[in-house]
Amino acid sequence: MTLFWSQIARELSPYVPGEQPRIANLVKLNSNESPFGPSPLALEAMRAAAADTLRLYPDPEAGELREALAVHHGVRPEQVFVGNGSDEVLAHAFVALLKQPKPLLFPDVTYSFYPVWSQLFGLDCEIVPLDDGMRVRVEDYRRAAGSIVIANPNAPTGIALRRAEIAQLLEDHPDIPVLIDEAYVDFGGETAVPLIADHPNLLVVQTMSKSRALAGLRVGYALGDAGLIEALRRVKDSFNSYPLGRIAQAGATASVRDDAYFRESCARVVAGRKAMAQELIGLGFAVLPSSANFVFVRHPGRGGPEFAAALREHAVLVRHFNKPRTAPYLRITVGTEHDTQRLIAAAAHILGHE
Ligand SMILES: Cc1ncc(COP(=O)(O)O)c(C=O)c1O
């Protein structure tokens, strides 16, 4: 079967995405998707874009979307790059910026795609352990490096660094590219975007998959100095000139312009997270302090894999990462109130609290 594979394909250890199964009555809390739908204005814009014009290629520069994002984030359009989900934007950044003669630094517990891209693109990387509280310590990054990538809030811990700590990291490393992956920043983190003006080496990556409930559309973006954005464009135009279709551009643009809906749904997720954490603590779980749309929890009485499997029996799907430091934990996405009730009822049943 592997007869025709390239050496690259043979040697890869691909990222394993969260399960997307078809189970009746499933409570799906394993992929950090939004429990609420996208902005109604975004849906309307996408319906309008599903038209005869689809026979034409989309704008390769996604000009309107980049302008809307520039207005939203207070930067210039040439400081914005968009791609097919932030995964694609991150992958381009690994090639365009992070691949340097010296190693790329990232935490031992973080987004598990970083080691995958490092392998695919042949980056030398150096892993920096989180501290005992599962926190990133920027002091630990004071070492020789070619580039740095940090998810803030981190995944799967949900723990956020303050903007002042990112500023410190940038002060420590003015001469190398520093990428801050802000996939979850809208749920209580402090964005590093205001630091872009003074730091031409800072790239901030965000996504529409979480806080804008558009995971199915695949839109992510990067903000940074125009020089960094130009490097991303060079890679994009060496790979796929049209990463975002007409429907994606229309929906994403309308979503960015609907600030009221965005703020309201983020606030609902944050309220849901607080309620869910409280209930889990009530059942004896240890809950790491989350600034994301998920919580990272462990129960002193049960192992992570065992608990995840038991919840699955109750049609409640959560994520478990079977690596030494993360094995005792479950990552649970904030769902609707009903989802939380189902989760808590199932967990209580498993723990014999009924
Ligand atoms: C830290 C982090 N970055 C990036 C992504 C990618 O998101 P997307 O490709 O949907 O924009 C994820 C998705 O789970 C994530 O957890």
Side-chain angles (χ1 to χ4, degrees):
M1 183 188 147
T2 58
L3 182 63
F4 303 111
W5 291 18
S6 70
Q7 191 175 343
I8 294 178
R10 280 171 208 272
E11 289 173 359
L12 289 176
S13 332
Y15 175 75
V16 182
E19 257 189 291
Q20 314 295 337
R22 296 202 184 129
I23 299 176
N25 255 328
L26 181 70
V27 174
K28 190 172 179 305
L29 305 177
N30 68 330
S31 294
N32 297 342
E33 291 146 330
S34 171
F36 313 116
S39 150
L41 298 181
L43 293 176
E44 203 180 301
M46 288 188 276
R47 278 188 208 105
D52 174 65
T53 41
L54 283 177
R55 69 198 166 74
L56 303 171
Y57 281 104
D59 174 2
E61 302 303 330
E64 212 183 334
L65 172 58
R66 286 178 36 247
E67 266 168 45
L69 285 166
V71 169
H72 181 76
H73 288 287
V75 297
R76 288 175 285 115
E78 59 271 28
Q79 294 182 289
V80 184
F81 176 85
V82 297
N84 193 260
S86 62
D87 279 341
E88 185 184 76
V89 176
L90 289 164
H92 287 345
F94 269 62
V95 178
L97 303 168
L98 302 186
K99 185 168 172 154
Q100 299 289 339
K102 285 190 188 156
L104 164 68
L105 307 184
F106 56 82
D108 59 342
V109 177
T110 191
Y111 188 32
S112 32
F113 233 131
Y114 302 157
V116 174
W117 287 314
S118 298
Q119 192 197 14
L120 175 61
F121 301 125
L123 277 77
D124 182 17
C125 41
E126 201 172 303
I127 308 299
V128 183
L130 299 182
D131 72 7
D132 291 343
M134 302 288 264
R135 291 172 183 276
V136 171
R137 280 168 26 109
V138 293
E139 308 88 276
D140 295 341
Y141 289 75
R142 281 187 199 134
R143 54 174 93 180
S147 55
I148 296 175
V149 57
I150 287 180
N152 190 42
N154 198 11
T157 63
I159 299 176
L161 287 168
R162 308 297 309 261
R163 185 182 301 133
E165 294 172 286
I166 302 292
Q168 183 60 56
L169 183 74
L170 291 161
E171 299 290 314
D172 293 343
H173 291 285
D175 301 326
I176 59 168
V178 174
L179 193 162
I180 305 298
D181 177 355
E182 294 189 345
Y184 301 103
V185 77
D186 298 321
F187 304 107
E190 284 182 351
T191 179
V193 170
L195 303 175
I196 288 172
D198 292 326
H199 298 279
N201 58 328
L202 169 63
L203 191 78
V204 177
V205 174
Q206 297 197 358
T207 178
M208 306 225 172
S209 297
K210 321 289 180 182
S211 53
R212 295 187 182 275
L214 289 170
L217 200 62
R218 310 304 299 132
V219 183
Y221 57 96
L223 308 167
D225 185 80
L228 301 183
I229 300 304
E230 180 57 23
L232 294 173
R233 244 179 63 184
R234 287 169 71 94
V235 171
K236 175 205 120 189
D237 285 330
S238 306
F239 180 75
N240 176 7
S241 291
Y242 304 101
L244 290 188
R246 286 174 173 270
I247 293 175
Q249 292 188 31
T253 306
S255 168
V256 175
R257 289 181 180 149
D258 191 355
D259 208 42
Y261 184 87
F262 166 67
R263 284 172 192 276
E264 191 203 312
S265 42
C266 291
R268 286 172 76 190
V269 170
V270 171
R273 179 181 73 217
K274 286 186 182 150
M276 189 167 98
Q278 224 40 59
E279 297 262 19
L280 289 166
I281 289 167
L283 288 177
F285 282 88
V287 180
L288 295 189
S290 172
S291 298
N293 67 341
F294 56 85
V295 290
F296 204 46
V297 305
R298 74 190 148 78
H299 197 280
R302 300 290 162 117
E306 183 199 346
F307 216 125
L311 285 170
R312 204 176 192 286
E313 294 290 306
H314 290 258
V316 175
L317 212 57
V318 301
R319 191 91 198 258
H320 175 254
F321 297 93
N322 215 357
K323 293 266 166 65
R325 284 190 89 180
T326 50
Y329 289 88
L330 301 176
R331 190 196 69 189
I332 310 178
T333 305
V334 178
T336 60
E337 266 176 53
H338 174 256
D339 293 338
T340 301
Q341 280 166 14
R342 283 270 309 274
L343 164 77
I344 297 301
H349 183 84
I350 294 162
L351 292 166
H353 280 230
E354 289 167 331

